[in-house]
Amino acid sequence: MNSVCIVGIAGGSASGKTTIVNMIKEYFKNDIELISHDNYYWAHDDMPLEERSKLNYDHPSSFDTKKMIEDVKELKAGKAIYRPEYDYTMHTRSKETVLVEPKKVIIVEGILILEDAELRDLMDIKVFVDTDADERLMRRITRDIHDRGRSIESVLTQYTQTVKPMHEQFVEPSKKYADIIIPRGGENKTGISILTEHLRLLLNGYNHN
């Protein structure tokens, strides 16, 4: 493989990052691979489930970002990796790993991927999905209750105690590093089309090399 393009897609929790990633993947099919920062949460098998559920999962120290940086470098060099898998219902890392093959475009997605300078410097394009805080909270409530087996009380407590303050301290300030900002998340079809077209041109350039 001659060249691998690394695209970073950041933004607050439930901002619409996954929606945008899925739309891009649908367009490019097999030319794109995704790795999510969430898969690199540290394992907490030594703690009871109740304690794990109360941890701050929105602070940079909750991620094994060093491992993610190593994996992105391997993919960029055209080598396959085994990335970790995370179990949201158990609040810890799964015993399974997932084989990820290098593709022409690798999307790196997560709330804090633009916060780390070393990870940021590996990216060819940096995107920030900018969605209103009230909208993100409503989406998070729906997602966490339906998909992750949480109660509304636990979602609201986590949001108030960690998600909101960590967003203001770490996520929002990282927006200044973005090359492209997409307001309103997955609803912004024009912004997504511009990003998709930019990636298409990049891929065509790689194909002609």
Side-chain angles (χ1 to χ4, degrees), residues 6 23 35-36 58 61 64 81 86-87 89 91 99 103 106-107 116 133 158 165 168 170 186-187 199 208:
I6 308 292
M23 291 171 83
I35 57 172
S36 175
D58 292 75
S61 64
D64 186 358
I81 60 154
Y86 191 77
D87 186 339
T89 59
H91 294 285
L99 175 66
K103 296 288 178 72
I106 304 288
I107 295 177
D116 186 280
Q158 188 180 29
E168 291 168 356
F170 296 108
E187 297 171 10
L199 291 176
H208 290 128

Side-chain angles (χ1 to χ4, degrees), residues 139-189:
R139 289 179 187 173
R140 187 181 175 97
I141 289 169
T142 303
R143 180 195 70 192
D144 285 7
I145 290 173
H146 290 174
D147 299 344
R148 300 180 181 178
R150 311 275 168 82
S151 68
I152 190 162
E153 291 81 7
S154 72
V155 176
L156 291 173
T157 299
Q158 188 180 29
Y159 182 83
T160 306
Q161 292 180 356
T162 60
V163 177
K164 187 172 186 287
M166 293 302 99
H167 180 89
E168 291 168 356
Q169 187 175 351
F170 296 108
V171 182
E172 190 68 25
S174 75
K175 182 166 68 174
K176 64 177 177 281
Y177 299 112
D179 304 309
I180 300 169
I181 294 174
I182 300 181
R184 304 188 311 283
E187 297 171 10
N188 190 339
K189 300 294 188 289

Side-chain angles (χ1 to χ4, degrees), residues 9 32 63 66 72 117 135 157 192:
I9 299 185
I32 276 190
F63 298 91
K66 185 172 182 292
V72 172
E135 180 69 25
T157 299
I192 297 165

Side-chain angles (χ1 to χ4, degrees), residues 20-150:
I20 290 174
V21 167
N22 287 340
M23 291 171 83
I24 294 170
K25 284 176 73 179
E26 177 62 28
Y27 184 88
F28 289 106
K29 308 294 186 192
N30 295 325
D31 282 331
I32 276 190
E33 188 57 78
L34 166 72
I35 57 172
S36 175
H37 206 185
D38 284 7
N39 290 125
Y40 291 80
Y41 277 126
W42 293 103
H44 294 289
D45 297 334
D46 55 331
M47 288 184 184
L49 177 59
E50 191 175 342
E51 280 185 40
R52 293 200 297 262
S53 68
K54 293 174 182 172
L55 292 171
N56 180 354
Y57 289 96
D58 292 75
H59 191 279
S61 64
S62 61
F63 298 91
D64 186 358
T65 302
K66 185 172 182 292
K67 167 68 173 163
M68 187 182 213
I69 289 166
E70 290 169 3
D71 284 352
V72 172
K73 285 179 177 176
E74 289 288 286
L75 289 166
K76 202 159 187 170
K79 299 173 185 173
I81 60 154
Y82 284 93
R83 70 152 174 79
E85 185 73 4
Y86 191 77
D87 186 339
Y88 291 102
T89 59
M90 298 305 293
H91 294 285
T92 194
R93 197 176 282 188
S94 167
K95 298 289 183 275
E96 307 296 321
T97 57
V98 176
L99 175 66
V100 178
E101 301 279 0
K103 296 288 178 72
K104 289 170 182 159
V105 174
I106 304 288
I107 295 177
V108 179
E109 175 270 337
I111 62 172
L112 290 168
I113 56 158
L114 298 184
E115 189 271 338
D116 186 280
E118 190 177 356
L119 182 57
R120 204 166 58 229
D121 288 347
L122 293 171
M123 299 171 193
D124 300 289
I125 305 169
K126 296 177 285 293
V127 180
F128 190 93
V129 183
D130 201 10
T131 302
D132 179 77
D134 290 343
E135 180 69 25
R136 285 189 287 106
L137 175 57
M138 287 188 290
R139 289 179 187 173
R140 187 181 175 97
I141 289 169
T142 303
R143 180 195 70 192
D144 285 7
I145 290 173
H146 290 174
D147 299 344
R148 300 180 181 178
R150 311 275 168 82

